[in-house]
Amino acid sequence: MRKIVCSISTIFSILLIAGLLAGCGNAAPVFDVPDIETIKSREPLPETVVDEDRITFTVNPEYTLQTIHTTAGGNFINKFSGSYDPIEPVSRYNLNNLDVGVARVRMTLEEFEVTNDNNDPKKIDWDAFSNDGYNEATFILLQEMQSYDLEIVATFWDVPDWMVLNPQNDADRMVNFALYDELAECVTAWLVMARDEYGIEIEYLSVNEPNIGAQVGFMGRELTTLIEASEPLFKKNDIQTRWLLADTSNASGSAGYSTAMLRNGDILDLTGPFAFHS
């Protein structure tokens, strides 16, 4: 057992190195996974202590709980860095140094259709959609990513103010149920623009952490309704993209959320992998 004292900034370096090493090599090492009774019988480790910018924690290498076999994905999101440079520094570092297999980008829908294009969600008026700012940066980033062997996940955090019932809110924004077809049209337009103007096919689509409304929220049944609303528009525009199932904020709540979605068997052909954050 070993006590370690270091600065908070060092902790992030340790975690980064651990993640990088976990992704090295072609074959993942095999570890014995302890049973629950063994874990319960262990002497508890001393409490972690945080003192301003220093943290003290204890490591016992014999106490294995879980093993990271590989790291293969990452967020590539210009809006988080506030940069319109398509290959902003974090994205460039990830592409150059990590064995990225899945890239998650942001659909900045709140800036894509600032005002409703028309009153017919089945007819796209392209003059109302803007492929500038963060969206343009994302499209150009995706063009470069085509030279890598990647799966692309496009995710939206937010939607335009005119679609929501509480536009004054920054989080837990609620889409007007009567405008689900309009949101499905907005998503379809983004995917069509990515394909037709930039040559990018998006494998998967999701709402970021819809269960907690970060920033727009959907219950499982509501997200199912949105997915259903997208089906005829995807078919009409020959969009092959499938929705991730759930993409919720944590593991513990993901099963119930996805179960609520899967009660409607009609969405099985419209959805892909089960996803959650941890």
Side-chain angles (χ1 to χ4, degrees):
M1 190 174 298
R2 181 176 302 172
K3 180 181 288 187
I4 300 174
V5 181
C6 59
S7 67
I8 296 294
S9 60
T10 305
I11 293 299
F12 292 108
S13 299
I14 292 171
L15 293 176
L16 175 59
I17 292 169
L20 292 175
L21 292 176
C24 294
N26 295 323
V30 178
F31 294 88
D32 292 328
V33 179
D35 59 65
I36 189 65
E37 293 304 321
T38 299
I39 294 174
K40 288 181 178 179
S41 66
R42 290 170 173 170
E43 179 184 351
L45 297 175
E47 293 286 339
T48 297
V49 178
V50 178
D51 181 15
E52 296 184 352
D53 65 341
R54 299 180 69 81
I55 184 169
T56 302
F57 62 95
T58 304
V59 173
N60 188 334
E62 296 179 2
Y63 282 19
T64 56
L65 292 176
Q66 62 180 354
T67 302
I68 299 173
H69 287 292
T70 186
T71 56
N75 282 326
F76 294 81
I77 300 174
N78 291 71
K79 187 163 186 177
F80 286 173
S81 65
S83 171
Y84 292 116
D85 180 356
I87 316 293
E88 47 85 35
V90 174
S91 296
R92 172 62 65 195
Y93 184 90
N94 288 345
L95 285 174
N96 289 345
N97 296 279
L98 302 182
D99 184 18
V100 179
V102 179
R104 186 173 186 245
V105 301
R106 176 169 179 147
M107 310 165 75
T108 313
L109 297 184
E110 63 272 26
E111 299 177 9
F112 186 59
E113 188 185 7
V114 177
T115 57
N116 193 359
D117 66 327
N118 55 45
N119 292 322
D120 184 359
K122 298 178 182 178
K123 184 178 180 181
I124 298 174
D125 180 359
W126 288 105
D127 290 338
F129 295 89
S130 303
N131 63 332
D132 55 8
Y134 293 120
N135 284 302
E136 181 183 31
T138 298
F139 289 140
I140 296 173
L141 167 65
L142 287 170
Q143 282 185 315
E144 173 158 342
M145 284 182 172
Q146 290 185 115
S147 63
Y148 297 81
D149 185 18
L150 298 176
E151 285 189 335
I152 303 297
V153 177
T155 301
F156 63 90
W157 272 247
D158 206 354
V159 299
D161 281 347
W162 60 269
M163 289 187 185
V164 301
L165 297 171
N166 51 345
Q168 71 282 357
N169 283 25
D170 293 327
D172 202 23
R173 286 154 62 87
M174 297 176 290
V175 176
N176 185 338
F177 191 79
L179 297 178
Y180 273 35
D181 287 338
E182 293 286 357
L183 176 53
E185 178 199 37
C186 183
V187 168
T188 301
W190 197 97
L191 295 172
V192 170
M193 186 174 291
R195 182 192 65 197
D196 294 355
E197 295 194 23
Y198 296 89
I200 304 154
E201 296 281 357
I202 304 296
E203 282 85 358
Y204 300 110
L205 165 69
S206 72
V207 184
N208 179 68
E209 300 183 346
N211 59 315
I212 62 170
Q215 297 164 276
V216 63
F218 294 90
M219 291 188 295
R221 289 175 295 175
E222 294 172 336
L223 184 53
T224 301
T225 300
L226 176 61
I227 293 173
E228 289 179 307
S230 72
E231 181 180 21
L233 290 167
F234 281 19
K235 286 184 176 179
K236 179 180 178 180
N237 292 278
D238 196 27
I239 294 294
Q240 304 301 315
T241 306
R242 290 191 296 165
W243 294 78
L244 291 182
L245 187 63
D247 205 14
T248 45
S249 62
N250 55 65
S252 61
S254 58
Y257 191 93
S258 58
T259 299
M261 297 180 67
L262 290 172
R263 287 198 180 103
N264 185 337
D266 293 339
I267 70 166
L268 286 176
D269 292 337
L270 309 176
T271 55
F274 171 56
F276 60 87
H277 301 178
S278 63

